[in-house]
Amino acid sequence: MASHHLLSILGMNVLCFQRAPCSALKKMAGFPGLFPAGVLPALLLWVSMWGSPASGFSVMGPAQPIKVSLGADATLPCQLSSEQSAAHMQIRWYRTQLSPAVLVYQDGQEQDGEQMLEYRGRTELVEDSIGRGAVALLIQHVRASDDGQYWCHFNDGHISREAVVELHVIGLGSAPHVRMMGPEDHGIQVLCSSGGWFPKPRVQWSDTAGEKLLSLSEYQTQDGDGLFHVEASLVVTDSSLGNVTCSIQNPVSGQEKASAIFLPEPFFPRTSPWKIALAGTLPVLVLLLIGISYIGWKEHKAKNGEVEKKKKASHERDKVAREKEEAHSLKRKLEEDLEQRKALYNKDWKKALIYPDWRKEQFERVLVIENHENVHQNNSDFRKEPQAVLCKEQGGGNLLKLDQKGFTKGRHYWEVDIEDTDEWTLGIYEEPTEKSELLSDLQKMKFNVLEKKGCEYRALTCSRQGIFQKESLPIEKCPLKIVIFLDYEDSDISFYNMTDETHIFSFTHANFSGSVYPYFKLKSMEFSPSA
């Protein structure tokens, strides 16, 4: 009876003995009536032999983390010590809890019943060396969510041992896209963006000498796949830097990607010439005032020496005249410097997204008015809105109507006062020269426009069949006047906010093939593609 009682206790408390057999039995020893005399010492000896390394086994994993690139296959090894066969054991790979598991191997085959959904069809137990106690978990097409710790758990009857294996997933993102955003705080703001990184990358700006530059701001977001997208901005105030480089580094592998941008010196904002001229003239006026006060004080102090005083006054007047001439010379030099910078701008004006007033000199100006006529009475409401049309400045008599020939070449610009309205659509539309019997005139029209609806702005490329391009625009200051630049040969339409003289958006691949017309209405682009 004592033996049966002992086996019953062992069966009920086997897990407890595996974890802490000596402490458990020491507690039981406090109850003298629980075991017959002489049974407790033998039991202590048996449990000590059962949990010892000589009678059991241990599990070893790799000392260093396993590093795998995103999308590749990962192999996580695990080994029994001492070397023995594990074919008869239950082998379980899990993350934070035993069940559900990443993979369960039992009775010589994998068991699907307890497997986590995200690992089904992607895992496999490599059992080539299972006879020597060596197995490995193969994870195919590694994802960002696979990053972290994995537990390798062996169970042989009442004995179980486990080891932890660390997996580091490495996602190397796209090359940084670096672009100029415009003037900011007496310098030029530069933006660097890249996506597809894992884990969270490090961003570093540097100049041509390798000196590190501090970012103005940095934002990192994760997409649905767990990959990071990063945007960092920098304000460059030193016009002599030339190039700045944006480097993005993976903190696990140390791999990085970098892109540089050249910042031409003429693009940097300069102090206005009249301010510099005033700063040079003001000391001259102060000196003149001091000289006159000094002469008056001398005349009041002594009545003799009038000849000497006149000489001193004449000397002061000559000095003031010379200083005035130097101030005028400095002003002329600043004006020449401004003209020189403007000439440099004109050589490469297509790449610059600043100074719209200088850009106007490269385009032919036309006057924008509203045509309240219904040119096509039989068309839909899409053409019944007040349309923006062109009129040559000389006398205003040569109207370019919607049913006449539009722009087919050249560079043109026009300005539209939109004031503080809640809804408007502004831009151009194109009518192809080739006629098609399958499509009506409205269905052939292609629009490249900016749209405002409430406080939201977006750029649209669309037609009656649908929207081909849609992009939200982060406009901080509400424009009251917008200038549109049309470059037919370069297929470019650019929009500038004349309220703060900043660039809003450019359609750089319009690919014109027909006649181009201005377009404007006090509504957003709301229409049915089937209309």
Side-chain angles (χ1 to χ4, degrees), residues 425-428 447-451 458-460 495 507 519 525:
T425 305
L426 174 65
I428 62 98
F447 293 81
N448 293 94
V449 295
L450 294 186
E451 177 193 77
R458 62 179 183 171
L460 298 175
F495 299 81
F507 295 96
Y519 182 77
M525 295 291 286

Side-chain angles (χ1 to χ4, degrees), residues 237-406:
T237 57
D238 186 358
S239 60
S240 63
L241 284 182
N243 286 0
V244 293
T245 302
C246 175
S247 303
I248 303 181
Q249 184 185 59
N250 188 296
V252 175
S253 66
Q255 297 171 288
E256 69 174 28
K257 291 189 177 182
S259 297
I261 188 173
F262 175 66
L263 304 177
E265 186 174 356
F267 289 178
F268 285 83
R270 300 292 183 89
T271 304
S272 301
W274 68 267
K275 293 183 179 179
I276 298 177
L278 180 61
T281 306
L282 190 59
V284 175
L285 297 176
V286 172
L287 289 174
L288 179 60
L289 181 60
I290 293 174
I292 295 173
S293 300
Y294 175 75
I295 293 172
W297 178 77
K298 290 293 290 183
E299 288 178 352
H300 180 73
K301 186 72 176 178
K303 294 182 180 180
N304 55 351
E306 294 294 333
V307 175
E308 187 66 22
K309 291 180 180 180
K310 290 181 180 180
K311 288 182 179 180
K312 290 182 179 180
S314 177
H315 175 72
E316 292 292 334
R317 285 193 295 269
D318 292 341
K319 181 180 178 181
V320 171
R322 287 194 302 270
E323 290 176 348
K324 284 185 177 180
E325 182 61 31
E326 291 175 359
H328 288 304
S329 176
L330 178 61
K331 182 179 179 181
R332 288 193 297 270
K333 184 178 180 180
L334 291 174
E335 290 175 349
E336 292 174 358
D337 181 61
L338 181 63
E339 290 296 328
Q340 183 180 5
R341 290 195 293 113
K342 187 174 181 180
L344 290 174
Y345 170 86
N346 289 336
K347 290 181 181 179
D348 204 15
W349 62 270
K350 290 186 178 182
K351 296 182 180 179
L353 299 179
I354 53 179
Y355 305 137
D357 287 332
W358 287 3
R359 190 182 184 92
K360 290 178 181 179
E361 298 178 7
Q362 309 296 329
F363 290 73
E364 179 184 357
R365 183 178 185 271
V366 289
L367 181 65
V368 175
I369 65 172
E370 285 191 358
N371 175 26
H372 296 279
E373 301 176 11
N374 284 332
V375 178
H376 297 280
Q377 295 292 339
N378 295 326
N379 288 336
S380 70
D381 292 340
F382 201 59
R383 292 285 291 271
K384 291 181 181 180
E385 296 288 346
Q387 305 292 325
V389 299
L390 298 179
C391 173
K392 297 296 183 181
E393 289 185 290
Q394 293 81 0
N398 184 19
L399 289 178
L400 186 57
K401 302 281 188 174
L402 293 176
D403 58 348
Q404 295 178 351
K405 184 178 181 182

